[in-house]
Each structure stands twice: as structure tokens, then as C-alpha cells.
Amino acid sequence: MTTQFGQYAPPTHVVAHLSDTHLLGGARPLYGTVDTDAPLAAALARLESGGIRVDALVITGDLTELGEPEAYRRLRELVEPVAKRLGAELVWVMGNHDVRAAYAAELRGEATADAGPQDVGPQDVGPQDAVHEVAGLRIISLDTTVPGYHHGDIRESQLEWLAEQLAEPAPHGTVLALHHPPIPSSVEVMALLELRNQAALAKVIRGRDVRAILGGHLHYATAGQFAGIPVFVAAGSCYVIDAGADPASLIGHAAGQTLSLVHMRPGAVTTSAIPLDEGTKVVDFPPVIVQAFAAMTPEARLEAFSSKTSTFTREEAHRIVAGETGAPQ
């Protein structure tokens, strides 16, 4: 049972958010040097080892680099067992590097989500939109890709479909997951590949029950606001674009990758970037210490952890870990 230590209630849902895995067939390295499988495996391992309840795992596009069927199959082999062990709903999202036909065949063949509109053209299987219901939280995967291009756009038929889905609110609201985030990029050249038709999207979702928008594409973790809704962008799992470099440049590093956790609370939505490289541990409060706080009165808890003169974290906590004493009341 979770103890409410502060003013906010525990989350009703936790969404793990990854993006831009860019897998290649045959486990070939991206650009000949980047091992795309290793950081994805590290992210999944962190989810399993962290002891965090995960209700949904959302991967916001560019799942593969070239849309190769074998790459999608390997992605499923890596991700699906972990999602199953976590008991998490798995939500795929199309990205500009993905190919709709292969995506539909390899990832949607066994999908249980309701399909979105299928505007089939001569060589187009249609947008890969879907709706997932997760214990009262609705997650809508919206395909913002343009076949043959890397920028994003949304068809009028998709907007009509989205409006229909949002006509009735979900018990815990809606999360909209798309690849091209509807916020500015601090890396100037990425504006060439931004999402178009944003005003029409804003018109559809403004005033509805959309509580958060999850995106990728930019390859660095960032956040903003669109139509009054928070937008959370996950960094690329394969490599990270340096948003601190000269804005007129585009520099990527196979380092600093993170995964994101989105906590859905009544009246509040937050995101946290979790580093895949844990580094050197400098602070360690094991669960037994948190349990000790839970056993205290609110007044004792405040004195133990908030007071600058408290000796709890320096002395009593070590004895509790060693099993020498219980928590003060």
C-alpha cells in the first residue's frame, strides 16, 4: 500500500515512455557504429528492476530505421516479454522512419486495439491509428507520418476520427501519443521536419479530456504546452541529439539516453527522465527507510526528514537498515 506523504495522491496510472529505437535488420549497427539493441535492453531492464508499477509502455515511433520486417520482429522479441511480465499495455506509434505496410503486418497483426481510419491509397495501407483502454485511461496512438517524407502531418479524416474518439470522456482522461511533437524545437534544423496542420489538431483536442501528449522525433528529452495540454518528449533510446550545442548545428551522441515515466495523478501529470546508465550510487534510502517514514506520525515524519537539525538520516536510518531499531513514532 502506498503512503501519501505530501499533498498529491499517488498516481492512478504510470506510463513508461520510450522513443526512437531505430532498429535495423540483422541487428546491424546504426550508422555503422551505434548499437541500438543495447540501450533498449538497458531501458527495459531498468523498468523491470525498479519495482515501479507500469500500466502502459508507449514507444513513440521510429521503431525501426528502414521499416525492415525483421527489425520489427526483433523489436517485438525484445519488448513484448517485458511488457507481459510488467503487466503493461504495449502501445506502438508510427514514426517517419517506419514503413506502414511492414508496421501493420508485423506489429498490428495480433493487436487488440481498435483500428483507426484506413484511407488506403495505391501504395498506402493507411494511417496506423489505434485506441487502447488501460483501466480507465485512454491512450490514443496517432500516426503523424507522411509516406516518403520525414516531416509530420495529419489527414482530415484522422482529425474527424480523433474527434469521434474524444466525444465521450474516459474515466481517467486521455493520453495522445504521436511521433512528431506539436512544440518548437531548440535545434533549428528539426523545424524542417516538424508536425504540420497543428492548428487543426489544437481545435480538435482543446477542451476535451486529453491530459498529456507524448512524442518523440527530436531525440532529446523536452517538454512544452500545446492547446493548454502538457507535451512530454522522450529522448531517443538509440542516440541523443545535443540540444546544448550551437542551435544551427545537429549533433548526436550515443550517450546520455533516458527513458521517461509519466505519472498520472488526479489533477496533476508529471514526467521524469530516468538515465539508462545508473552511474555511481551516492545516496541509498532502501524501502525499509520509506516504510519507517510511513510508520511515523505526520509530525514525526516532518521532523525526521525536513528539519535541518534532524539526525535521522545520519544516525537512526543506518540503525534501521541494520535492523537494530524501529522508527520513531
Side-chain angles (χ1 to χ4, degrees):
M1 182 176 179
T2 303
T3 300
Q4 182 176 336
F5 289 128
Q7 301 172 59
Y8 294 97
T12 59
H13 297 78
V14 178
V15 177
H17 179 199
L18 287 163
S19 197
D20 295 86
T21 49
H22 285 268
L23 268 60
L24 280 162
R28 304 192 314 276
L30 184 65
Y31 306 137
T33 60
V34 179
D35 181 352
T36 58
D37 287 33
L40 173 58
L44 297 172
R46 285 231 61 188
L47 285 177
E48 287 204 273
S49 66
I52 298 172
R53 185 196 84 233
V54 178
D55 300 287
L57 171 55
V58 179
I59 309 183
T60 49
D62 280 1
L63 309 175
T64 68
E65 173 72 4
L66 299 174
E68 299 161 293
E70 192 278 330
Y72 287 116
R73 289 193 289 271
R74 195 168 81 260
L75 180 68
R76 291 184 62 180
E77 291 172 359
L78 290 169
V79 176
E80 286 184 343
V82 175
K84 184 176 181 180
R85 289 194 294 268
L86 291 170
E89 179 80 4
L90 182 53
V91 180
W92 307 111
V93 181
M94 269 283 298
N96 50 276
H97 278 269
D98 293 304
V99 175
R100 284 177 176 170
Y103 176 104
E106 301 297 337
L107 300 184
R108 297 289 295 276
E110 300 177 4
T112 57
D114 296 329
Q118 299 296 304
D119 292 345
V120 181
Q123 296 180 337
D124 182 5
V125 298
Q128 297 298 297
D129 302 322
V131 180
H132 299 256
E133 299 289 344
V134 185
L137 177 68
R138 178 169 53 201
I139 302 177
I140 297 179
S141 171
L142 188 66
D143 181 354
T144 56
T145 66
V146 180
Y149 292 86
H150 287 300
H151 70 276
D153 208 340
I154 309 172
R155 300 183 185 188
E156 187 61 34
S157 59
Q158 289 180 277
L159 294 171
E160 293 172 358
W161 173 81
L162 180 60
E164 291 174 2
Q165 304 307 312
L166 297 175
E168 293 293 332
H172 289 283
T174 297
V175 171
L176 181 62
L178 41 72
H179 183 64
H180 301 83
I183 56 173
S185 170
S186 59
V187 180
E188 293 176 353
V189 70
M190 291 301 290
L192 295 171
L193 308 179
E194 69 185 2
L195 177 66
R196 300 187 178 185
N197 211 16
Q198 292 188 25
L201 175 62
K203 185 176 180 180
V204 170
I205 65 177
R206 183 177 282 113
R208 300 294 186 176
D209 73 340
V210 179
R211 300 183 60 200
I213 300 172
L214 306 185
H217 188 52
L218 300 181
H219 279 252
Y220 62 91
T222 186
Q225 192 176 72
F226 176 75
I229 301 163
V231 178
F232 304 130
V233 179
S237 77
C238 61
Y239 70 89
V240 176
I241 287 178
D242 187 354
D246 185 333
S249 67
L250 193 154
I251 300 172
H253 300 280
Q257 294 98 322
T258 61
L259 69 92
S260 296
L261 292 177
V262 181
H263 290 79
M264 312 289 297
R265 290 179 168 85
V269 182
T270 58
T271 186
S272 304
I274 313 300
L276 303 189
D277 181 0
E278 297 182 57
T280 301
K281 185 183 292 185
V282 294
V283 177
D284 185 5
F285 267 33
V288 66
I289 298 300
V290 180
Q291 294 164 8
F293 284 133
M296 297 179 192
T297 65
E299 294 77 12
R301 191 181 301 149
L302 192 69
E303 287 302 314
F305 198 52
S306 178
S307 173
K308 294 183 179 180
T309 61
S310 171
T311 61
F312 179 83
T313 57
R314 298 192 301 273
E315 299 175 9
E316 286 91 338
H318 297 289
R319 291 196 289 270
I320 291 173
V321 172
E324 299 174 3
T325 181
Q329 303 298 311

